[in-house]
Amino acid sequence: MSGKDTLFSNPQENVKSFEFDQQVVEVFPDMIERSVPGYRTIIQGIGEIAEKFVQLDSNIYDLGCSLGAASFSIRQKLQEPSCRIIAVDNSSAMVERCRLIQSGYNFAMPIDVLEADITKLEMQDASMIVLNFTLQFLPQEKRQQLISNIYSALKPGGILVLSEKLQMSEENFDESIIDLHHKFKKRNGYSDMEIAQKRAALENVLIPDTREQHFERFSLAGFSQFDTWFQHFNFVSFLVVK
Ligand code: GEK
């Protein structure tokens, strides 16, 4: 059903800003797998983390769900009919395909796929909230409010899993890690031109924060327990407990 990502394989005179549109939906699984180091491990880990932390009679939110890979992993590990997964994305193309994919499986745990802006979403009674490579696409000034909303929506002992591309605090070090990431993409079949054009398309669209910025946001929201559970180059996932 999904194809190979060749979206940036031809030279473009003016590279347009990246959007999660129908073209991206068609190649999304290949794109994310070849671009994000550790993506598959993180998706699997999200299921394993759910098994440990999800509470009975609670909601699980997958914010910026794309095609629902994280929701799918949770549902595979946790067949709990008293819980409900709410998968949310504001791209109608993503939501439509996500609904199609998820409807093909018959799991005990119900899933609602919503087309909505996660910065305006009302959440409650949650024991797990996933932001898997989504926060980095929000305007920076909206990020604290979302993390604080997540804190309020979580039950005591509930968790946030936040995966992000990181910016290293020190400039030279950041450049070295970015170079390692680009070599990772090259090994996965992307050409130098594809890597450069994708980088240009993501400029001002994907804005990474430093680890310190993330930790400060968690503290400001009220969280006192958080740490990195996964990192590969500048791609990281944090486990944050209320
Ligand atoms: C995965 N989590 O495969 N409201 C709702 N959705 C949004 C918003 C917003 N304000 N802004 C961006 N998105 C997925 C991968 S992709 C990451 C997440 C990537 C959505 C956007 O439409 C896209 O589907 C998703 O966030 C980011 O586990 O492609 O690098």
Side-chain angles (χ1 to χ4, degrees):
M1 186 145 82
S2 105
K4 186 173 160 71
D5 171 23
T6 55
L7 296 182
F8 294 94
S9 60
N10 293 318
Q12 298 173 14
E13 222 167 275
N14 294 306
V15 181
K16 279 199 306 159
S17 284
F18 188 83
E19 276 179 47
F20 291 98
D21 55 15
Q22 193 64 45
Q23 272 192 318
V24 168
V25 165
E26 298 304 333
V27 299
F28 188 74
D30 178 65
M31 170 186 280
I32 198 151
E33 179 116 16
R34 287 200 290 137
S35 305
V36 174
Y39 177 72
R40 200 181 277 221
T41 308
I42 292 173
I43 289 293
Q44 194 187 320
I46 286 172
E48 290 160 6
I49 290 170
E51 236 182 338
K52 180 158 183 66
F53 285 96
V54 165
Q55 303 170 23
L56 293 180
D57 297 313
S58 69
N59 291 325
I60 300 160
Y61 291 89
D62 179 6
L63 304 179
C65 60
S66 297
L67 303 183
S71 297
F72 185 74
S73 174
I74 295 168
R75 287 176 102 191
Q76 267 186 318
K77 281 281 175 201
L78 199 91
Q79 307 257 339
E80 184 42 68
S82 77
C83 294
R84 169 171 299 273
I85 297 187
I86 300 124
V88 187
D89 207 288
N90 69 348
S91 152
S92 48
M94 283 290 186
V95 165
E96 196 185 319
R97 182 62 57 87
C98 182
R99 283 186 181 137
L100 189 69
I101 294 171
Q102 300 291 335
S103 68
Y105 297 93
N106 192 11
F107 284 112
M109 193 157 59
I111 181 166
D112 292 332
V113 185
L114 302 184
E115 184 178 335
D117 180 349
I118 57 170
T119 63
K120 299 189 179 125
L121 189 70
E122 280 194 27
M123 297 178 278
Q124 63 265 310
D125 299 327
S127 64
M128 179 170 190
I129 300 182
V130 176
L131 271 171
N132 202 35
F133 301 107
T134 303
L135 190 71
Q136 60 197 14
F137 290 104
L138 297 188
Q140 272 179 311
E141 66 277 9
K142 293 198 171 169
R143 296 180 187 181
Q144 181 63 56
Q145 189 59 56
L146 179 60
I147 299 297
S148 297
N149 291 349
I150 286 173
Y151 181 85
S152 306
L154 283 171
K155 293 164 172 268
I159 56 157
L160 161 67
V161 176
L162 173 68
S163 311
E164 288 274 287
K165 184 175 187 179
L166 266 197
Q167 188 193 320
M168 302 294 144
S169 313
E170 208 259 299
E171 207 180 312
N172 286 343
F173 190 51
D174 196 45
E175 276 167 24
S176 302
I177 300 273
I178 288 171
D179 187 49
L180 282 165
H181 175 226
H182 289 170
K183 291 207 165 80
F184 166 91
K185 290 185 77 169
K186 258 189 111 163
R187 275 197 305 279
N188 285 340
Y190 286 113
S191 69
D192 287 330
M193 185 182 64
E194 283 178 291
I195 294 170
Q197 292 193 145
K198 177 77 178 285
R199 192 180 189 180
L202 285 173
E203 184 90 38
N204 303 321
V205 176
L206 189 172
I207 301 167
D209 293 316
T210 62
R211 187 188 312 272
E212 293 72 27
Q213 282 173 300
H214 287 295
F215 283 7
E216 203 178 307
R217 265 194 214 111
F218 299 151
S219 297
L220 259 174
F223 290 105
S224 54
Q225 242 188 348
F226 43 84
D227 214 331
T228 306
W229 71 270
F230 178 87
Q231 182 157 0
H232 185 150
F233 300 144
N234 44 349
F235 289 78
V236 70
S237 190
F238 303 118
L239 178 58
V240 187
V241 186
K242 177 163 175 177

